[in-house]
Amino acid sequence: MKAIVYRATGDPSVLELVDREIRDPGRGEVRVRIMVSAVNPTDWKSRRGAKPGEPLPFAEVVPNQDGAGVVDAVGPGVEHLHVGDRVWLALAAYQRADGGTAQEFAVLPVERVFPLPENAGFDLGASLGVPAITAHRALTIAEDGPRRLHPGTLDGKVVLVAGGAGAVGHAAIQLAKWAGAVVITTVSGPAKAALVTAAGADHVINYRETHAAAEIRRIAPNGVDQIVEVAPAQNAELDLAVIRNRGSVAVYANNGGDQMSLDVRRHFSLNVRYQFVLLYTVGMAAVQAAAEDINAAIADGALPVGEAAGLPLHRFDLADTAAAHAAVEENIVGKVLIDVSAG
Ligand SMILES: NC(=O)c1ccc[n+]([C@@H]2O[C@H](COP(=O)([O-])OP(=O)(O)OC[C@H]3O[C@@H](n4cnc5c(N)ncnc54)[C@H](OP(=O)(O)O)[C@@H]3O)[C@@H](O)[C@H]2O)c1
């Protein structure tokens, strides 16, 4: 089978197309014929390493955490998935040398493989893992908020999604809307404003042209209940200016800076909760819960992808995985997908 591998950290040129043996799934594993692989920022960050020359945990790594395909073989002890099932994947490459989705067949623990609802295509399936599970987690950690999402669980809540035109932001808008929230989102320009409107955001604020805090307070005079935050250092003052008493800020990224400064008294005066989120170590119970809710949202038609739904898709062939990684690394707007197997 064809697979993309890298043997050292570095720029996209370390990615190489090779031929590999297909291996059989072991106990508790399934083998998936990958139809579509997706690239997230975490994939190029792992490939590049935290610093130049950083060693890899394995001699050879297959990249990409997210993908969708068809179950091709199941190992002993696997009961709820069967050969022929359409599935989507999460954390495929996490702590696995050969689990990544940039290959024709990936063998994965069954806990990382979820049935793809009938009304969902492989493009949607490949777009879910990192963005949608992270968004679900960010929306379910508020003190007064729900632990699970379904229609009605965020009724009466105001959710602020920072940078809503990003992949995680897009999923957060869609999930929050599906669950009943009023969604305010910030963007850096008009093209992204059009995308978040298509995604379903109720209120869009161009933070480069508007006094964002004043505008959010005008929309939500009592403040916002939950913030899904991609750039905490940049937005700490804004978040404090708009959060309501016992509100929560879920931080899932360090875009715009690693260090932030918080006014202690003003935060404890408002009983603000900061919750940091890292998908890799959030725990499989949270991942499983997210996957179930995400599948329910898909069944309701609430998580579409594509330009008309606010998330443009950009396609690459497996042999062009380096270009796909480069596109994400250069902050392309939308979702980068790789066609792995012919349909
Ligand atoms: N903790 C986790 O488990 C987890 C999970 C998923 C993703 N992440 C991280 O979250 C970040 C976003 O992921 P994504 O897939 O949503 O990426 P993406 O599709 O590239 O979107 C990133 C968005 O962040 C916004 N942004 C705000 N401030 C920014 C800044 N200073 N520099 C660059 N962008 C800025 C941009 O919107 P505007 O231009 O409108 O500001 C952009 O649309 C990445 O750093 C990723 O590694 C972490």
Side-chain angles (χ1 to χ4, degrees), residues 64-147:
N64 297 357
Q65 301 290 344
D66 290 352
V70 179
V71 174
D72 164 74
V74 300
V78 172
E79 280 163 12
H80 73 280
L81 285 175
H82 305 94
V83 171
D85 287 353
R86 298 161 72 253
V87 292
W88 60 279
L89 315 174
L91 300 172
Y94 179 54
Q95 295 182 332
R96 289 173 83 81
D98 66 352
T101 59
Q103 58 182 334
E104 289 177 305
F105 295 90
V107 174
L108 294 170
V110 68
E111 298 77 29
R112 304 187 197 186
V113 182
F114 309 103
L116 187 59
E118 265 177 30
N119 61 339
F122 294 120
D123 289 357
L124 172 55
S127 302
L128 296 170
V130 170
I133 297 176
T134 303
H136 183 279
R137 175 68 176 173
L139 290 168
T140 53
I141 48 72
E143 180 180 352
D144 297 328
R147 292 293 164 268

Side-chain angles (χ1 to χ4, degrees), residues 41 45 130 134 166-168 187-188 192 207 234 252-253 255-256 277 279:
K45 290 175 185 177
V130 170
T134 303
V168 179
V187 292
S188 59
K192 287 185 175 180
Y207 63 79
Q234 250 172 248
Y252 67 90
N255 288 23
V277 174
L279 182 59

Side-chain angles (χ1 to χ4, degrees), residues 49 55 83 96 126 132 141 209 216 224 248 293:
V83 171
R96 289 173 83 81
I141 48 72
E209 288 183 348
I216 293 166
V224 306
S248 298
D293 294 353

Side-chain angles (χ1 to χ4, degrees), residues 115-333:
L116 187 59
E118 265 177 30
N119 61 339
F122 294 120
D123 289 357
L124 172 55
S127 302
L128 296 170
V130 170
I133 297 176
T134 303
H136 183 279
R137 175 68 176 173
L139 290 168
T140 53
I141 48 72
E143 180 180 352
D144 297 328
R147 292 293 164 268
R148 297 290 296 259
L149 298 180
H150 52 79
T153 49
L154 289 175
D155 276 358
K157 303 285 187 192
V158 179
V159 172
L160 170 62
V161 178
V168 179
H170 178 261
I173 292 169
Q174 291 181 322
L175 284 171
K177 281 309 299 171
W178 175 64
V182 169
V183 176
I184 306 171
T185 189
T186 58
V187 292
S188 59
K192 287 185 175 180
L195 292 175
V196 295
T197 301
D202 298 289
H203 304 278
V204 182
I205 293 167
N206 180 334
Y207 63 79
R208 293 213 172 119
E209 288 183 348
T210 319
H211 188 298
E215 186 60 14
I216 293 166
R217 277 285 173 187
R218 192 188 62 72
I219 296 162
N222 297 326
V224 306
D225 298 274
Q226 299 180 212
I227 299 176
V228 179
E229 187 53 82
V230 65
Q234 250 172 248
N235 290 334
E237 270 303 313
L238 168 64
D239 292 345
L240 178 59
V242 301
I243 197 85
R244 69 181 301 167
N245 187 43
R246 289 206 313 272
S248 298
V249 185
V251 173
Y252 67 90
N254 58 350
N255 288 23
D258 263 323
Q259 304 294 325
M260 63 178 178
S261 172
L262 299 180
D263 182 310
V264 175
R265 187 187 55 77
R266 287 165 67 213
H267 278 87
F268 72 61
S269 299
L270 282 170
N271 295 279
V272 173
R273 173 184 292 202
Y274 257 91
Q275 169 76 52
F276 293 83
V277 174
L278 180 64
L279 182 59
Y280 292 119
T281 48
V282 75
M284 285 313 286
V287 171
Q288 187 65 46
E292 286 172 13
D293 294 353
I294 288 162
N295 270 357
I298 292 172
D300 282 352
L303 296 183
V305 294
E307 178 112 33
L311 192 71
L313 303 179
H314 310 278
R315 312 199 79 87
F316 292 81
D317 290 334
L318 183 64
D320 296 327
T321 295
H325 268 227
V328 177
E329 202 163 346
E330 287 156 15
N331 295 320
I332 195 168
V333 177

